[in-house]
Amino acid sequence: MSEYINKIIAEVKAKNPAEPEFHQAVQEVAESLDVVLERHPEYKAARILERMVEPERTIIFRVPWMDDQGNIRINRGFRVEFNSAIGPYKGGLRFHPSVTLGILKFLGFEQIFKNSLTTLPMGGGKGGSDFDPKGKSDNEVMRFCQSFMTELFRHIGPDTDVPAGDIGVGGREIGFLFGQYKRLRNEFSGVLTGKGLNWGGSLVRPEATGFGAVYFAEEMLKTRGEKIDGKVFAVSGFGNVAWGAVIKINQLGGKVVTLSGPDGFIYDKDGISGEKIDYMLKLRASAQDAVEPYAKEFKVPFYAGKRPWGIKVDVAMPCATQNELDGNDAKELIKNGCICVCEGANMPTTLEGYKVFTDAKILYSPGKASNAGGVATSGLEMSQNSMRLPWSREEVDNRLHEIMIRIHNTCVTTADRFGFPGNYVIGANIAGFLKVADAMLDQGLV
Ligand code: NDP
Ligand code: 2IT
């Protein structure tokens, strides 16, 4: 690695202590960009990467709310507005007790490159709270969301910053957030995506991240003359992304044999299909943080405290959370004959895992490329809101599919052009970077 890149990484670590996930995301991207910055001294001269690792704006606020027993609770809210060079800040909100500034900075940083890859005009941002939705009533979630939006509303808007869902934030939360925004602004606008179908939401948005990731896996497999039909998949998580992925894998003839939660994983050798997929929605809505009830309901084995990466499968799709697949898991997958790892979650693989996959030369895609279908469909929701015209399911799905094919091709051709054939991480990072970097050059010192 060049001295220049090592220096940037060291500075980010020194300046942002106690943010290991942010360091990890920056390191992966910065190392990929070494070759670009060597070839293009203009980016170095303008200190583009140094500017990119610093959010344009970070908002941190108090979120007081009252629980059902009348106790006052206090959480912390965040919005990291990372980069607006190619469009309004765009990215999800995460409600999970593990949320910290560092987690949201890693997610916001990744979002810059992901959104750039979608080909749609969206900048990068991320937000959320350390609020724990586990075991909360609908009324408690509503009061929390209203309090959260009572501060956030002054910082966002359809042309400024457009939040959406992520872990712990789905249709219900977007509804409460939207209602409060509308009330405070006296304005009905496309300020959030992932809205309900009756009030400006887009068809296919709930399924989009999972569908998009499977479309991406299909393209990867094609490069080796393979297809989804007949393949066995390990999926982790059981939330929104995992659900969409399981539906699409089934539609294309694949079989999913695992799901996971913070409590462990289930192994269903007959495949998760039909009513079992609908059961995933119930499991998610129960907010119990556990996948074990699936094992009881369908009488399949449950492995407490374990991850699903030791099961023999053709394709692995981590769809739960960051750093859920490490170097040992990666070796285990390869030992068992896995040929493709397609990330649905954001940064689910550690840097060691990435190295294992690259050395083994298996198909491996980073989340910022393969899970971009979610935010891309959010972009399509924004277009429909601006036109005030909804598109049909087929229209949205076709556009999503085309976007995923295009992102795949961009990753492949960019990796080739810069001398790393088959490396989707480098392809995605460079392609995502170039568009944003050029926009920043055009816009002067901002
Ligand atoms: P959900 O809240 O719907 O589901 C998240 C899943 O991961 C749940 O099964 C959850 O279990 C599990 N999980 C959460 N935290 C942990 C943890 N610390 N350890 C183990 N399991 C955990 O979220 P999504 O499906 O929306 O998000 C999943 C991933 O996909 C995240 O990385 C997210 O950033 C990413 N993503 C989401 C997009 C979207 O449009 N929703 C778009 C692109 C990426 P539990 O809740 O019980 O803890
Ligand atoms: O990580 C992600 O891309 C998301 N959570 C979706 C963001 C969005 O704005 O739809």
Side-chain angles (χ1 to χ4, degrees):
M1 209 43 54
S2 69
E3 215 174 290
Y4 173 70
I5 294 292
N6 282 333
K7 187 159 167 274
I8 291 182
I9 296 170
E11 278 173 7
V12 164
K13 288 182 179 172
K15 207 169 171 182
N16 304 277
E19 295 180 0
E21 292 84 4
F22 179 52
H23 303 166
Q24 180 183 341
V26 169
Q27 183 171 338
E28 184 216 274
V29 170
E31 289 183 355
S32 300
L33 297 178
D34 206 10
V35 49
V36 182
L37 295 162
E38 282 310 309
R39 280 194 206 174
H40 293 276
E42 67 274 23
Y43 297 135
K44 266 194 199 174
R47 305 197 71 191
I48 293 291
L49 186 55
E50 293 91 325
R51 278 195 260 162
M52 267 190 201
V53 297
E54 191 65 35
E56 288 177 17
R57 187 179 301 106
T58 303
I59 302 139
I60 304 183
F61 50 98
R62 178 169 69 204
V63 189
W65 58 282
M66 195 173 281
D67 69 19
D68 288 345
Q69 285 69 46
N71 302 309
I72 291 173
R73 307 272 200 116
I74 295 115
N75 285 100
R76 188 172 287 174
F78 304 86
R79 187 73 184 163
V80 183
E81 298 184 333
F82 229 116
N83 194 302
S84 61
I86 61 167
Y89 309 106
K90 180 82 195 88
L93 296 170
R94 177 176 291 193
F95 293 168
H96 196 271
S98 63
V99 163
T100 58
L101 179 60
I103 295 272
L104 297 177
K105 279 170 69 180
F106 118 63
L107 289 163
F109 185 69
E110 291 278 289
Q111 201 82 42
I112 303 170
F113 305 93
K114 183 195 307 196
N115 292 2
S116 165
L117 285 170
T118 65
T119 68
L120 303 175
M122 300 182 290
K126 198 85 186 188
S129 174
D130 58 358
F131 173 74
D132 186 358
K134 185 178 171 185
K136 301 288 188 301
S137 70
D138 284 356
N139 278 331
E140 288 176 325
V141 171
M142 180 176 75
R143 285 195 292 272
F144 174 80
C145 286
Q146 289 178 341
S147 180
F148 185 87
M149 188 52 90
T150 300
E151 173 58 34
L152 188 66
F153 88 100
R154 69 189 85 248
H155 307 289
I156 62 175
D159 297 315
T160 310
D161 183 353
V162 183
D166 192 80
I167 290 180
V169 178
R172 177 184 59 168
E173 291 74 20
I174 295 293
F176 295 148
L177 292 163
F178 183 81
Q180 186 72 352
Y181 180 89
K182 183 163 63 66
R183 192 173 181 201
L184 290 164
R185 283 260 196 241
N186 191 26
E187 167 189 296
F188 192 107
S189 71
V191 65
L192 292 156
T193 58
K195 298 185 291 297
L197 283 181
N198 293 331
W199 40 280
S202 175
L203 285 159
V204 193
R205 177 62 188 89
E207 299 92 332
T209 311
F211 276 23
V214 178
Y215 291 145
F216 198 95
E218 189 178 31
E219 294 306 304
M220 289 166 90
L221 289 169
K222 271 190 205 162
T223 65
R224 305 228 173 145
E226 299 277 359
K227 54 185 194 302
I228 290 191
D229 192 21
K231 295 277 181 308
V232 178
F233 284 69
V235 169
S236 65
F238 61 92
N240 172 265
V241 178
W243 168 74
V246 173
I247 295 174
K248 186 52 77 179
I249 293 166
N250 273 276
Q251 282 176 6
L252 298 179
K255 180 161 92 167
V256 182
V257 295
T258 68
L259 295 175
S260 74
D263 56 332
F265 80 94
I266 61 99
Y267 175 54
D268 187 342
K269 68 173 173 24
D270 296 331
I272 297 155
S273 60
E275 55 156 350
K276 295 171 174 173
I277 304 180
D278 299 333
Y279 183 77
M280 288 176 73
L281 292 176
K282 273 199 223 156
L283 203 57
R284 186 84 208 90
S286 73
Q288 289 311 307
D289 250 4
V291 77
E292 189 178 7
Y294 181 105
K296 295 207 170 101
E297 179 81 13
F298 299 108
K299 305 200 173 27
V300 300
F302 167 70
Y303 298 87
K306 295 245 164 20
R307 296 154 164 175
W309 315 126
I311 299 289
K312 183 173 167 45
V313 292
D314 304 305
V315 184
M317 294 191 63
C319 295
T321 193
Q322 64 276 357
N323 291 330
E324 52 160 325
L325 198 166
D326 63 19
N328 289 332
D329 297 323
K331 285 182 197 147
E332 194 73 11
L333 281 168
I334 287 166
K335 194 182 83 195
N336 285 324
C338 176
I339 57 168
C340 174
V341 177
C342 176
E343 295 186 346
N346 285 309
M347 207 171 75
T349 306
T350 63
L351 290 173
E352 293 74 34
Y354 163 39
K355 186 164 180 341
V356 172
F357 292 144
T358 315
D359 290 348
K361 296 197 172 359
I362 68 158
L363 295 164
Y364 166 62
S365 70
K368 65 170 76 70
S370 43
N371 75 29
V375 73
T377 308
S378 279
L380 300 177
E381 183 170 327
M382 289 166 73
S383 304
Q384 295 169 78
N385 292 165
S386 299
M387 292 190 303
R388 299 183 194 277
L389 274 180
W391 288 329
S392 67
R393 171 169 283 275
E394 198 186 9
E395 167 106 42
V396 179
D397 194 22
N398 286 342
R399 283 179 187 264
L400 166 65
H401 199 164
E402 272 170 29
I403 288 172
M404 296 315 296
I405 293 173
R406 219 177 304 147
I407 297 175
H408 177 270
N409 291 343
T410 302
C411 290
V412 170
T413 52
T414 309
D416 274 351
R417 182 151 69 93
F418 285 89
F420 297 89
N423 189 320
Y424 288 85
V425 174
I426 294 185
N429 286 336
I430 294 180
F433 170 83
L434 287 174
K435 183 172 164 189
V436 178
D438 288 338
M440 288 173 74
L441 283 182
D442 291 345
Q443 292 170 23
L445 188 51
V446 287

